[in-house]
Amino acid sequence: MFREVEEPVPGPGEALVKVAAFSVNRGETFQLESDRPGWRPGKDVAGLVVQPACDGSGPAAGARVVGHPPAAGWAEYAAVPTGSLAEIPASVPAPVAAALPLAGLTALRLLRASGATAGTRVLLTGASGGVGHYFTELAAAAGAEVTAVTATPERGRRLAELGAAVVHDVADAAGPFDAVLESTGGDVLPRALARVAPGGTLIWFGQAARRPVTLDFFAFFDGPESASIRHFHYAGEPFGADLATLVRLTAAGRLHPEIGRVAGWAETAAVLTDLRERRIRGNAVLTLESTR
């Protein structure tokens, strides 16, 4: 439901951004199910600074920026902490920049957490979303051997182009793997754990299936002996430096946001439905009147 709200008033250390494009994420569609008075979604925005922070921090008025506000980014204006902003060059369009924050930050920080460097064998489940595409390109560029699990060949096509070996069931992944990045949950997690090398790590960063997970302690002795399971969440301000890294790699042609849908903001409801039903590969971006 669309409604008019007051233009946000930036607090200390915040800039007011006129939003040109914002990305919507599948996880946000589930957040819409809960009643949270006063809360509005939106964590990925790109646009113009129209009011710089009163403390002098961050970009000046007129700067093109990408931002990661804590909420309320699905709007014409957003108040964004200056520590969560990065400037974008003219060569990076606003819809492309808007696809970077949540998925890109998660992938970049997952790369560090997994230690995916040259020769590391990595298994990534639920790989066909925005995070999966970013992670695959970043990890492959670092020399890691990435195996990506996708539901269909079509959803895995671009991942293969980015350097991943693509399978459509965890059982088909030729392990063992030094690191398994698991975002599906349900019965996939224990099957993915079985692919971890002795002493390796499973990093649990999502629950897309929204089903409970049951693990058998004795299953560790069938292969992933002495393996560890780690919970991961990308959050942790400031985000600006990592956003700047993502922008730099994109501008240099070393990172290619996979944007499965770009549409006008009036199509929000249809895009959210298609995203939730997995009819969009990669990111979905909605635009307002300007896409500079």
Side-chain angles (χ1 to χ4, degrees):
M1 178 189 300
F2 296 111
R3 63 186 176 91
E4 295 285 340
V5 296
E6 295 291 331
E7 184 177 301
V9 177
E14 293 183 334
L16 184 65
V17 175
K18 181 176 174 58
V19 178
F22 58 87
S23 179
V24 295
N25 300 283
R26 188 169 183 265
E28 289 174 305
T29 69
F30 298 120
Q31 290 181 311
L32 295 173
E33 295 174 357
S34 60
D35 184 15
R36 301 165 64 181
W39 174 83
R40 289 184 289 122
K43 298 174 71 69
D44 296 357
V45 303
L48 291 175
V49 173
V50 293
Q51 181 181 325
C54 60
D55 62 2
S57 64
R64 298 180 71 245
V65 294
V66 58
H68 190 53
W74 297 2
E76 294 177 283
Y77 293 89
V80 186
T82 56
S84 297
L85 286 171
E87 295 196 43
I88 52 178
S91 60
V92 178
V96 172
L100 289 172
L102 182 58
L105 289 167
T106 300
L108 183 61
R109 295 181 175 190
L110 263 177
L111 184 74
R112 295 174 185 148
S114 67
T117 55
T120 304
R121 301 191 69 194
V122 182
L123 176 65
L124 177 65
T125 69
S128 61
V131 174
H133 285 86
Y134 285 126
F135 179 87
T136 296
E137 187 166 18
L138 290 167
E145 300 176 33
V146 181
T147 297
V149 183
T150 67
T152 65
E154 174 57 26
R155 293 183 73 84
R157 179 184 56 79
R158 178 60 176 154
L159 292 163
E161 293 173 357
L162 293 173
V166 178
V167 298
H168 309 301
D169 191 292
V170 170
D172 298 327
F177 297 91
D178 304 301
V180 170
L181 311 184
E182 214 295 286
S183 65
T184 304
D187 62 354
V188 174
L189 193 149
R191 292 194 290 126
L193 178 63
R195 294 292 187 270
V196 179
T201 302
L202 183 144
I203 299 178
W204 190 0
F205 72 99
Q207 184 92 356
R210 309 186 80 196
R211 295 195 302 270
V213 172
T214 300
L215 293 177
D216 179 357
F217 171 83
F218 295 101
F220 281 84
F221 299 109
D222 292 332
E225 186 172 354
S226 298
S228 60
I229 297 177
R230 174 182 173 183
H231 172 261
F232 171 89
H233 188 240
Y234 81 99
E237 297 183 85
F239 298 107
D242 284 347
L243 281 175
T245 295
L246 295 169
V247 169
R248 174 176 56 82
L249 293 173
T250 301
R254 296 169 59 191
L255 187 66
H256 302 82
E258 181 69 13
I259 302 176
R261 180 81 55 84
V262 177
W265 66 270
E267 297 180 50
T268 298
V271 170
L272 291 180
T273 298
D274 286 346
L275 190 66
R276 188 180 177 106
E277 298 301 320
R278 298 187 180 279
R279 291 193 284 263
I280 296 175
R281 187 182 65 214
N283 286 87
V285 176
L286 296 166
T287 62
L288 284 83
E289 69 276 14
S290 170
T291 56
R292 284 181 48 202

